[in-house]
Amino acid sequence: MSKILIVEDEAMLLDMMSSYLQNEGFEIKGVKSYDEAEDAAYENNFDLWIFDVKIIGGNGFALLKDLRDAGRNTPCIFTTSLNSINDIDKGFKSGADDYIKKPFELKELLLRVNNILKRTFIHSQKGLENIATNFKFDISQGVLYENNQICNISKKQSKLLSLLLKNRDRFVTRDEIFNEIWEYDESPSELSLRVYIAELRKILGKEHIISKSKLGYKYV
């Protein structure tokens, strides 16, 4: 079941879109504001985002750009009443995969959703790497799969796993890890790092991540 995040500040339209896509077999989370959408996008692994351009507390273009800048590559469809070529250009430059103008038929939305998901699935299957028994990882999306089902891990765990996999069979120092997965305004935490490592070992098997006190961590 594909998971979709819908951001739409018109309550009736949000309800209609959510109900229609749920009836078509999708798992839907609907929110109305910029802040709610940003939190949901970071806390969950969605297969698709559907963003309205005009939302409470901001706009969809800025929201998508911020998520793209943070390395979140989930495909996105914009819905909007804006119809100038400059608006469309701005939407695609912010990282959109498709664009649908209001008002639209729900059937058209479904066709676009299915098209994006089919295209993304084909691409992701090519980019998946077997990293442990029953586990695959999509480095481009930062998504971990167990038996072809998404395995929910935190944003920092995803970044940490990606870093270790990109440096297979080489020890990655703690300083490299801190610089890569902690933001500039955050204070790196040795305790937090140990927790992330312990949780990844619990999921993937402790034999895959080894450590040496002066060298750091290595994925084997």
Side-chain angles (χ1 to χ4, degrees):
M1 181 183 293
S2 296
K3 296 174 61 177
I4 301 176
L5 171 65
I6 302 177
V7 187
E8 170 58 62
D9 65 354
E10 296 181 35
M12 185 175 296
L13 180 56
L14 176 60
D15 184 61
M16 289 174 58
M17 293 167 65
S18 299
S19 297
Y20 181 81
L21 292 175
Q22 282 173 343
N23 289 336
E24 292 296 329
F26 297 101
E27 181 179 342
I28 304 297
K29 180 174 180 61
V31 299
K32 298 179 180 179
S33 72
Y34 186 107
D35 290 341
E36 289 177 307
E38 189 172 43
D39 289 344
Y42 280 126
E43 292 170 3
N44 301 272
N45 288 314
F46 292 98
D47 298 291
L48 178 67
W49 298 325
I50 302 175
F51 291 173
D52 184 21
V53 174
K54 296 180 179 180
I55 55 178
I56 297 170
N59 70 77
F61 293 152
L63 172 62
L64 182 59
K65 185 178 185 304
D66 287 346
L67 291 170
R68 292 286 188 254
D69 289 345
R72 308 298 282 189
N73 297 314
T74 301
C76 181
I77 299 173
F78 274 126
T79 64
T80 181
S81 56
L82 302 175
N83 56 16
S84 75
I85 191 64
N86 288 334
D87 293 322
I88 295 173
D89 181 60
K90 187 175 181 181
F92 282 115
K93 284 182 177 178
S94 67
D97 295 88
D98 202 355
Y99 209 100
I100 185 169
K101 295 179 184 178
K102 295 179 178 178
F104 53 83
E105 296 289 337
L106 292 173
K107 179 65 175 179
E108 180 185 358
L109 177 64
L110 177 62
L111 291 172
R112 292 177 182 268
V113 165
N114 284 331
N115 181 61
I116 291 289
L117 290 175
K118 180 180 178 181
R119 188 174 70 196
T120 304
F121 176 78
I122 292 171
H123 173 75
S124 65
Q125 288 299 105
K126 292 179 180 178
L128 291 178
E129 179 181 356
N130 291 309
I131 62 171
T133 303
N134 300 324
F135 285 94
K136 297 179 181 179
F137 188 69
D138 184 346
I139 289 182
S140 66
Q141 298 287 331
V143 178
L144 178 65
Y145 295 88
E146 180 181 8
N147 294 317
N148 296 319
Q149 298 294 317
I150 291 176
C151 181
N152 287 317
I153 57 177
S154 70
K155 179 184 176 183
K156 280 189 168 57
Q157 284 177 299
S158 174
K159 284 187 172 183
L160 174 57
L161 180 56
S162 179
L163 179 63
L164 294 175
L165 289 171
K166 288 176 181 177
N167 293 274
R168 269 182 183 259
D169 299 320
R170 179 182 80 82
F171 280 102
V172 182
T173 68
R174 287 169 174 77
D175 285 341
E176 287 180 276
I177 294 171
F178 291 150
N179 289 333
E180 180 71 19
I181 73 171
W182 266 267
E183 303 295 337
Y184 71 94
D185 58 346
E186 296 178 322
S187 298
S189 167
E190 175 69 29
L191 178 59
S192 294
L193 174 57
R194 290 178 181 176
V195 171
Y196 298 146
I197 291 290
E199 290 175 346
L200 287 175
R201 283 172 168 164
K202 185 176 180 180
I203 295 170
L204 300 169
K206 62 182 180 180
E207 70 276 8
H208 289 293
I209 302 176
I210 64 174
S211 62
K212 289 190 176 180
S213 58
K214 294 183 179 180
L215 297 178
Y217 297 92
K218 178 170 68 172
Y219 196 96
V220 296

